[in-house]
Amino acid sequence: NAGVMQNPRHLVRRRGQEARLRCSPMKGHSHVYWYRQLPEEGLKFMVYLQKENIIDESGMPKERFSAEFPKEGPSILRIQQVVRGDSAAYFCASSRAGYIYEQYFGPGTRLTVT
Amino acid sequence: GQQVMQIPQYQHVQEGEDFTTYCNSSTTLSNIQWYKQRPGGHPVFLIQLVKSGEVKKQKRLTFQFGEAKKNSSLHITATQTTDVGTYFCAGQIADKLIFGTGTRLQVFP
């Protein structure tokens, strides 16, 4: 019974490059959430998606960041033209339905921008 | 904006001592969830409380939801080194789940 999968686990990008983070939810889960965590800090909500729909992107920066959850395949968080301040751990979580259900987190992608 | 605050931010205890973290919201919560994140790891769901005044126990952990559904607490009895990590509460407010700021627990043997 595979949990939430994220890849890559570690990603190094130079300033100006693109970062693409993938998340496969738990089997049977159709709701995906992305969070960002800086070292020694809490979880910052970024975006909530269902299959082919963005439900809430209120936590996502307006520029350079985008997310999708296609009908087939994993959810993708895309960061264009990365800057040093984008260095963080990005966690994906999934749930059966909305916020009334517990969220299962993936191992995270640690993004380092050099 | 809507916020869920946790206190304390840090807690260092000697193994065997008790530990409590408190979660407070200015807005009534539909439910509250608790998560634990080990150093270098990812958040792991612990429990969910839904009813006013609800108390749930998991071995040495006791979770409580306030009568007004605006606050919650997690109490650990006789801490062990395996309890080390950051404990987050997460409250559902309308259609959002707001994570608390977290309490980092360090246990000294």
Side-chain angles (χ1 to χ4, degrees), chain A:
Chain A
N1 185 17
V4 178
M5 311 282 282
Q6 284 188 257
N7 67 79
R9 295 290 302 276
H10 300 273
L11 182 62
V12 180
R13 285 285 177 266
R14 290 201 195 96
R15 277 180 297 171
Q17 290 185 319
E18 178 180 288
R20 199 172 280 237
L21 287 59
R22 294 174 193 77
C23 169
S24 296
M26 277 183 72
K27 189 175 179 182
H29 287 190
S30 58
H31 296 243
V32 165
Y33 315 81
W34 285 93
Y35 297 87
R36 182 163 110 162
Q37 187 175 43
L38 293 170
E40 312 294 316
E41 292 193 10
L43 293 160
K44 182 179 181 295
F45 167 78
M46 298 182 75
V47 63
Y48 166 23
L49 310 109
Q50 281 181 265
K51 286 280 186 183
E52 299 185 278
N53 283 312
I54 296 175
I55 305 302
D56 180 357
E57 57 181 347
S58 58
M60 195 109 93
K62 295 280 188 284
E63 296 176 356
R64 302 189 298 109
F65 286 73
S66 62
E68 62 175 7
F69 189 13
K71 190 176 178 182
E72 301 291 336
S75 174
I76 308 279
L77 178 67
R78 187 174 169 219
I79 311 173
Q80 293 178 292
Q81 299 174 322
V82 295
V83 301
R84 288 230 171 94
D86 296 332
S87 296
Y90 291 84
F91 289 100
C92 164
S94 73
S95 69
R96 277 186 287 161
Y99 290 124
I100 62 170
Y101 292 99
E102 64 269 27
Q103 297 185 11
Y104 292 84
F105 283 78
T109 294
R110 269 81 178 168
L111 172 66
T112 302
V113 179
T114 61

Side-chain angles (χ1 to χ4, degrees), chain B residues 52-70:
Chain B
S52 167
E54 190 170 12
V55 177
K56 286 189 178 179
K57 293 192 175 189
Q58 285 180 351
K59 297 182 180 177
R60 294 178 295 104
L61 278 60
T62 302
F63 303 85
Q64 198 160 3
F65 200 8
E67 293 290 342
K69 299 182 76 173
K70 287 186 176 182

